[in-house]
Amino acid sequence: MADTSYGLPKEARDYHVLAGPDKFSLVHNAEQFLDFLNVAGNTFRQRMKIQFDLRNVKNVHSDGIATFVAHLRDRRYTHNQRFRGVNPREGAPSKVFVECGFYDYFSAYGIPAKDTPSKSVHRVTKQRVEPSIAKAFCENAISFTFRKTRKLRPLYEVLIECMANTKNHASLEDEGQYNWWLFQYCDKQTKRTHFTFVDLGVGIFESLNIKAYKRLVQAMSGRDNTHIMKDIIDGKVQSRTGKKERGKGLPLVYKHAQNPYFDVFYIVSNDVLIDLKTRSSRRLRSDFHGTMLYWELSDTQSQRDGKQLLLWEK
Amino acid sequence: MGKIKIATDFSDTPGARYRTDGDFSGQEFLEDLLQPEFERCRSAGEKLLVDLDDCWGFPSSFLSGSFGVLSEKYGEDACLEILEFKSVDDPNLETEIHRIIVSPEAR
C-alpha cells in the first residue's frame, strides 16, 4: 500500500518539488529565472530527482522554454537524475509550451498538436556551422512573418554567426563536439517569429580569447563584463588580441541587430544581459553558464516607419 | 573572362571560415573553386567575374576566409585587377569584399 503521509504516494515524495517562476523567461525575468535554474542544478548535483511545478507560471516566453529544454537535456546539468513536470494551467502559457516544441523533447500525454510552423533543432556535432539548417529556419520564418518566399541576408548571417560562436568545448559525448540549440517560435497572433539560440558552453566571458582581453582591461581600468561586452560588439577585442579571425562574429550580430526587421535582440552570457537594440546592459546577480541569443523577426517596424524595406527577390 | 556564380557553382548557403567549421566554408570555396579559377585567369590574362547573387547571405568569416586569404596569397593589386563582382541583390556586398581585399585589419 502506498505511503500517503504527505498526501502523496511514497514514490512521489522522492521528487523535490520546484515551482517555476511567474514569468518564465531568461530575458524578461533574468534573476528569478536564473535562480530557478540554479536551484534545480544544485538539486540535481545532490543526486535528487525533481518535479517541476509549472502550474502557476503566468507568462511564458519562448526564450525561457528553449533555455529550460537545453538544460534538462544536458547530463552535466541533470547528473542523470530523473525529473518530471506539471504543466502550466490551460491557456496562453500552456499553449506556448506546445508551440515552442517543449514536448518534442520529453514524454508527455494528452498534449495537443502544434498549429503553427514553429520548429526547433538540437545539434551535437563536430561541424558547428550547418548552413542547411540556417537556410531552413530562414525560409520558415520569412514565409511565416512576411508571407513571402524571399531572402533576408541579416537573418541568415546572424544564424551562421551564432553557430560559429558556439563556445561549447566540453560536450557530453566527445571532446571537440559542439552542442547547440535553435528554437523558432511562430506567434500566430503577432505574426512575429521568435528565435532563441542557446549553447551551454563556457560563455562569452570565460572563452579563452575574451579572458585574455578581460585580464588586460581589468588590470588597466577595473571595468566589469558589461563594459567588456560593449567592447566586444564594437569589435575592439579583435584589434587588441591581434588575431584576425577572432572577434568578428558578435560585431556582425550587433550590426545586424539594428536591422528594422529585428524588433528585439538580446544576448545573455555569464553575468551580462545586453539589449543590442539600445546597447543597454546590466550585470546579473547570478551567472548563466553559456550563451543565449534571442531576437524577434517582425514586419511591424517597417510598417510603422511607412517604409517598404528591401528583401532580396528573384 | 572566367565566371563563378557562387549560388550555383558552389552553394547558395555559404558557411563559416574553415572546412572544420562545417559545409560550404570560405576555405572550401577558396581551395576548390576560387583559387584554381583565379590562377587560370591570371595565367590567361583574363578577368574573373564572381556573381554573388541568389545566396542567402555571406558570413564575415566566409568572406575573409576566401577573398581575404586570396588577397594575402596574391596581393591586393592582383586581386583587384583580376576580380570583378556582380551583386544586384545587395550592392553593399561588393564594397565589403573590396574592403576585405585591401584592408588587412578587416580580414
Side-chain angles (χ1 to χ4, degrees), chain B residues 1-4 33-51 67 70-71 73-86 94 97-98 101-102:
Chain B
M1 177 184 266
K3 185 178 176 185
I4 295 172
L33 204 59
L34 179 61
Q35 189 173 339
E37 191 61 11
F38 181 87
E39 284 191 348
R40 191 196 65 74
C41 288
R42 193 169 70 142
S43 301
E46 293 177 6
K47 298 272 190 187
L48 173 57
L49 177 67
V50 181
D51 185 339
F67 295 104
L70 188 79
S71 174
K73 285 188 175 175
Y74 296 93
E76 62 176 88
D77 291 343
C79 287
L80 294 176
E81 188 185 326
I82 293 167
L83 295 177
E84 287 187 358
F85 296 96
K86 174 175 176 274
E94 188 176 343
I97 295 173
H98 188 272
I101 289 172
V102 301

Side-chain angles (χ1 to χ4, degrees), chain A residues 208-223 227-228 230-248 251, chain B residues 104-106:
Chain A
L208 288 177
N209 57 323
I210 301 297
K211 265 172 111 169
Y213 179 79
K214 228 170 91 170
R215 275 197 295 274
L216 182 71
V217 169
Q218 288 181 336
M220 284 163 50
S221 62
R223 295 192 302 164
H227 294 96
I228 291 168
K230 286 174 184 163
D231 288 350
I232 293 169
I233 62 175
D234 289 339
K236 292 179 183 170
V237 173
Q238 179 218 2
S239 57
R240 290 286 186 101
T241 60
K243 292 178 181 173
K244 66 190 175 198
E245 70 268 36
R246 295 288 188 193
K248 303 277 285 181
Chain B
E105 66 273 15

Side-chain angles (χ1 to χ4, degrees), chain A residues 9-285:
Chain A
K10 182 175 184 306
E11 192 266 340
R13 294 209 317 270
D14 291 342
Y15 285 80
H16 174 81
V17 177
L18 182 59
D22 289 358
K23 191 180 279 185
F24 206 79
S25 170
L26 179 57
V27 166
H28 302 290
N29 187 20
E31 309 293 2
Q32 276 189 34
F33 192 79
L34 284 173
D35 287 347
F36 168 71
L37 287 179
N38 290 337
V39 169
N42 289 334
T43 307
F44 283 134
R45 200 172 301 121
Q46 293 166 37
R47 303 297 188 265
M48 291 167 68
K49 300 179 230 176
I50 298 179
Q51 177 166 306
F52 293 100
D53 184 352
L54 306 180
R55 280 175 297 183
N56 293 322
V57 170
K58 292 183 178 63
N59 290 297
V60 175
H61 294 261
S62 53
D63 69 285
I65 294 175
T67 308
F68 190 45
V69 171
H71 278 80
L72 291 184
R73 293 296 296 251
D74 189 331
R75 279 176 282 167
R76 289 171 302 170
Y77 181 75
T78 63
H79 295 275
N80 286 322
Q81 294 302 299
R82 297 185 67 177
F83 56 85
R84 62 190 187 186
V86 181
N87 296 337
R89 294 185 206 282
E90 287 301 309
S94 173
K95 193 160 174 51
V96 180
F97 266 78
V98 172
E99 293 302 327
C100 283
F102 179 82
Y103 301 107
D104 296 349
Y105 296 95
F106 305 106
S107 301
Y109 305 98
I111 302 297
K114 290 183 206 169
D115 69 347
T116 71
S118 304
K119 57 201 289 184
S120 65
V121 65
H122 174 211
R123 275 289 186 272
V124 180
T125 172
K126 286 186 187 299
Q127 296 191 334
R128 54 185 171 169
V129 174
E130 304 217 24
S132 58
I133 291 177
K135 177 182 173 179
F137 275 68
C138 284
E139 286 175 327
N140 198 48
I142 291 167
S143 66
F144 177 77
T145 294
F146 301 108
R147 295 167 294 280
K148 287 171 183 163
T149 50
R150 292 176 168 179
K151 295 183 174 75
L152 183 59
R153 189 181 157 199
L155 179 60
Y156 176 80
E157 292 179 3
V158 163
L159 288 169
I160 295 291
E161 295 299 347
C162 285
M163 297 174 190
N165 273 304
T166 304
K167 297 295 183 194
N168 188 354
H169 298 297
S171 80
L172 312 176
E173 278 75 21
D174 188 17
E175 284 287 319
Q177 289 198 336
Y178 300 94
N179 185 357
W180 52 257
W181 295 79
L182 175 59
F183 278 76
Q184 189 183 58
Y185 166 51
C186 301
D187 185 332
K188 270 176 96 173
Q189 284 194 321
T190 63
K191 297 301 287 181
R192 288 165 183 247
T193 307
H194 304 224
F195 288 84
T196 308
F197 187 93
V198 185
D199 84 70
L200 300 182
V202 295
I204 291 171
F205 301 98
E206 295 301 316
S207 60
L208 288 177
N209 57 323
I210 301 297
K211 265 172 111 169
Y213 179 79
K214 228 170 91 170
R215 275 197 295 274
L216 182 71
V217 169
Q218 288 181 336
M220 284 163 50
S221 62
R223 295 192 302 164
D224 68 17
N225 284 346
T226 57
H227 294 96
I228 291 168
M229 178 60 107
K230 286 174 184 163
D231 288 350
I232 293 169
I233 62 175
D234 289 339
K236 292 179 183 170
V237 173
Q238 179 218 2
S239 57
R240 290 286 186 101
T241 60
K243 292 178 181 173
K244 66 190 175 198
E245 70 268 36
R246 295 288 188 193
K248 303 277 285 181
L250 287 173
L252 186 78
V253 169
Y254 172 62
K255 180 187 147 199
H256 285 332
Q258 308 316 312
N259 188 295
Y261 287 124
F262 298 134
D263 234 12
V264 299
F265 210 124
Y266 294 93
I267 299 178
V268 182
S269 191
N270 302 117
D271 63 347
V272 173
L273 185 156
I274 185 164
D275 178 343
L276 291 185
K277 296 297 274 189
T278 63
R279 286 177 68 91
S280 64
S281 62
R282 66 188 176 93
R283 202 167 171 192
L284 302 172
R285 194 179 61 218

